[in-house]
Amino acid sequence: MDAQSRGRADEIDPADQWVLNPQTGNYELRLDQSAQRSSSSTSAAPRTPAPRSPRDRRTASPEREVPGQRSRRAGNASGGTTPPTAGRRKRKQSKSRKKKALLWTGGVTAAVVVAAAVGTYLVYQHFDSNLNTVDVTGAGSGGFSKDQAVNILVIGTDKRSGTGNESYGDKDSVGHADTTILFHVSKDRTNATALSIPRDLITDIPKCETKTEDGTKEIAGTRETRFNESLGQSGRDPGCTMLTVKKLTGVTVDHFMMADFNAVKTMTSAVGGVEVCLAKDIKDKDSKLNLTEGKHTIEGEQALAFVRTRHSVGFGGDLSRIEIQQQFLSSLIRKMKSSDTLSSPSKMWDLAEAATKALTVDTGIGKISRLRDLGLELSKVDPKNITFATVPVVDNTDGATVLLNEAKAKPLFQMIENDTSLTEVKQREQDAKNKQQGLLKGARAAASDVRVAVFNGSQTQGAALTTLTWLQNEQGVMKSSNEGNAPSKLPKTTLTYAPNQADQARKLADLMGLPATALKPGTTNAEGLEAMQLTLGADFKGAGVPITGPAKAPEGVQKVEADKQVCAK
């Protein structure tokens, strides 16, 4: 007999077993002791109870007072009547960090919230059993370090699995990477970038390894083919897509999450619909979307039609569909962050149930406990600092595929690598501007006058020597020396200099691409032939490669912040 049945056997409303703990601000599942005794007395060999949705747990007898639960009597002590909605459902929520753990990918962290709030083995076990996992080469296996960025690859496949999905397009598709988003969360958790990769982008797919029951199988790479063939084609798994993204962007992907059509349908229904906006009437015979101009709340089949629409929006191609999907996901983030969702245990449960059933993840995060840790890290990012962007491309001559716009794409990739936010966070920008003006504003010495001693505090063997060679042979910094390894490893490259060497420091910063934060001015002047000290850190990428990427995205890069509603055109 499960938790729901036990509650009904003792005439308890099982929804009332979810009570607010005033010390933590979280809802907790409290099974009454008498209910447990009743359960054990009805069966000699009780089964493991399966948690049930609070939405499915309805009324009990209003006349029975149950120890350990709040009274369900019709009248109160003064003879009045207690409204049925009073108590748990109307109580103001505390801003618990766990309760705010909302993963934008569509509800995985709803399971985390439920499991973290309830804290019971049975709930963890229930959601763990829902998850589909794939063991792929290259996925992380450890926890989520607080001083490291997080990169998650979200893959929407075109596989038509699930009830009612056979009628959409190619029902025999093996499941290619139809929608792919690289979700990057900064080290300090203040911002995130969701970078969409067009499925029709022509790129190189490197050789990759897949894991099978018979061992590891190597799949040959393919040159100049569609990006979406990095999954499904020739038996490639999500690990191959992760490797393709790294080759394309230079960003190492930690984990993946993969969803099919059912994910959109079930998760939007779980939160009670998502609000979208149209700048015109849309009637798309292919996606079956039929909506008038203005705002609409959509869910289920209608939500799926919305994210599949492309012929009736923008230029009618896949890039236009990417934009409408970004608008949809932004709205989903806002809905999941809303008090309407957070304050409803039934919505959170249903969202968790839908998400864990609809998603496939790598084994590294294939447990609710791991997703909890991930969710708590991602929950720190404010929606206004989450930016959706698209890899810059140009049309190919065939009219059906696109090519990488390297002039715009490479700086964008570098921003993600260097943890630079695409949102214009005014305070951080002003701080950077002040440092830049204070340390890098002023005269520059000639390269031949720069005197510097180079130390290697990076993870790259021989970095000091290669930097010295580059400085002398290509930049004319002849008064430089290789001092070998630094006393200890450093996370960041630093340049220490005396006040009377400031002009030399600015020149070297220009040559090396050093940010103002790398400059460490001293308080006493240098004497004689004393040199500045350049210590290469873990952020060193190679001689001549700037330490920091561009401060702003190139002009023309399509992007939108998650806190803004945009109407599809």
Side-chain angles (χ1 to χ4, degrees), residues 153-161 165 168-171 173-182 195-201 205 226-233 236-238 241-242 244-245 256-262 264 286-287 303-311 317-326 329 390 400 402:
L153 193 65
V154 183
I155 307 170
T157 76
D158 58 1
K159 192 171 185 178
R160 272 58 176 169
S161 58
N165 296 327
Y168 296 119
D170 181 9
K171 66 178 182 179
S173 173
V174 294
H176 295 107
D178 200 46
T179 299
T180 305
I181 299 176
L182 174 60
L195 184 66
S196 294
I197 303 174
R199 66 175 189 178
D200 295 324
L201 172 65
I205 300 176
R226 277 181 167 87
F227 173 84
N228 73 338
E229 293 184 5
S230 64
L231 178 69
Q233 198 78 7
R236 295 184 177 110
D237 66 11
T241 310
M242 292 167 60
T244 304
V245 170
F256 81 87
M257 295 179 178
M258 185 167 63
D260 58 17
F261 286 174
N262 276 353
V264 175
D286 294 310
S287 69
L304 178 60
F306 185 85
V307 298
R308 293 187 66 247
T309 292
R310 56 173 172 160
H311 298 305
D318 191 55
L319 296 179
S320 297
R321 186 180 67 160
I322 286 176
E323 290 186 28
I324 203 171
Q325 288 174 346
Q326 292 175 347
L329 289 171
T390 304
V402 292

Side-chain angles (χ1 to χ4, degrees), residues 330-331 333-334 383-384 386-388 560-565:
S330 295
S331 182
I333 291 173
R334 296 192 296 273
K384 70 180 181 182
I386 301 175
T387 305
F388 286 90
V560 62
E561 284 75 34
D563 66 324
K564 296 179 174 63
Q565 185 173 58

Side-chain angles (χ1 to χ4, degrees), residues 186-449:
S186 66
K187 294 178 184 179
D188 60 9
R189 309 302 189 244
T190 62
N191 64 88
T193 299
L195 184 66
S196 294
I197 303 174
R199 66 175 189 178
D200 295 324
L201 172 65
I202 296 299
T203 188
D204 293 340
I205 300 176
K207 67 178 181 180
C208 59
E209 292 183 346
T210 61
K211 297 181 179 180
T212 67
E213 294 181 356
D214 299 327
T216 301
K217 176 184 177 183
E218 184 176 284
I219 300 176
T222 307
R223 289 184 55 80
E224 298 184 353
T225 189
R226 277 181 167 87
F227 173 84
N228 73 338
E229 293 184 5
S230 64
L231 178 69
Q233 198 78 7
S234 303
R236 295 184 177 110
D237 66 11
C240 299
T241 310
M242 292 167 60
L243 197 60
T244 304
V245 170
K246 180 177 181 179
K247 182 174 179 61
L248 174 67
T249 66
V251 178
T252 300
V253 181
D254 302 308
H255 301 281
F256 81 87
M257 295 179 178
M258 185 167 63
D260 58 17
F261 286 174
N262 276 353
V264 175
K265 294 194 291 188
T266 59
M267 289 188 286
T268 53
S269 295
V271 297
V274 173
E275 185 180 86
V276 296
C277 179
L278 299 181
K280 63 179 182 181
D281 296 348
I282 291 182
K283 189 171 184 178
D284 191 329
K285 63 181 180 60
D286 294 310
S287 69
K288 300 178 176 61
L289 181 67
N290 187 3
L291 290 175
T292 58
E293 175 186 350
K295 295 181 179 180
H296 301 269
T297 299
I298 60 175
E299 62 178 275
E301 291 286 351
Q302 198 172 42
L304 178 60
F306 185 85
V307 298
R308 293 187 66 247
T309 292
R310 56 173 172 160
H311 298 305
S312 301
V313 292
F315 296 105
D318 191 55
L319 296 179
S320 297
R321 186 180 67 160
I322 286 176
E323 290 186 28
I324 203 171
Q325 288 174 346
Q326 292 175 347
Q327 295 161 16
F328 174 83
L329 289 171
S330 295
S331 182
L332 181 59
I333 291 173
R334 296 192 296 273
K335 183 60 178 282
M336 292 177 64
K337 282 278 190 180
S338 70
S339 59
D340 179 55
T341 301
L342 288 173
S343 62
S344 172
S346 62
K347 281 187 179 181
M348 294 301 287
W349 183 284
D350 290 348
L351 186 56
E353 188 87 338
T356 51
K357 285 183 177 180
L359 292 174
T360 298
V361 301
D362 62 86
T363 52
I365 53 174
K367 289 185 176 296
I368 293 301
S369 58
R370 289 288 177 87
L371 289 174
R372 175 200 61 200
D373 295 340
L374 173 61
L376 292 177
E377 291 301 304
L378 303 189
S379 69
K380 301 170 186 176
V381 185
D382 192 302
K384 70 180 181 182
N385 293 332
I386 301 175
T387 305
F388 286 90
T390 304
V391 171
V393 296
V394 294
D395 288 334
N396 200 358
T397 54
D398 61 11
T401 59
V402 292
L403 303 173
L404 189 69
N405 184 337
E406 295 194 8
K408 293 182 178 180
K410 287 190 174 180
L412 184 60
F413 298 158
Q414 197 172 22
M415 289 183 72
I416 295 176
E417 271 195 276
N418 288 284
D419 229 15
T420 304
S421 173
L422 267 65
T423 58
E424 297 183 7
V425 187
K426 293 183 178 180
Q427 186 60 52
R428 295 184 68 196
E429 283 192 336
Q430 189 59 48
D431 290 345
K433 183 177 180 181
N434 292 340
K435 291 178 181 178
Q436 196 81 4
Q437 289 179 341
L439 296 177
L440 294 182
K441 187 176 181 180
R444 265 72 170 162
S448 58
D449 292 331

Side-chain angles (χ1 to χ4, degrees), residues 116-173:
V118 176
T120 66
Y121 169 76
L122 295 177
V123 173
Y124 273 75
Q125 187 181 51
H126 173 71
F127 288 122
D128 277 347
S129 66
N130 283 350
L131 284 170
N132 299 307
T133 62
V134 177
D135 187 11
V136 301
T137 302
S141 58
F144 300 96
S145 174
K146 298 184 183 303
D147 60 353
Q148 294 292 327
V150 177
N151 296 306
I152 306 290
L153 193 65
V154 183
I155 307 170
T157 76
D158 58 1
K159 192 171 185 178
R160 272 58 176 169
S161 58
T163 304
N165 296 327
E166 306 86 5
S167 61
Y168 296 119
D170 181 9
K171 66 178 182 179
D172 298 320
S173 173

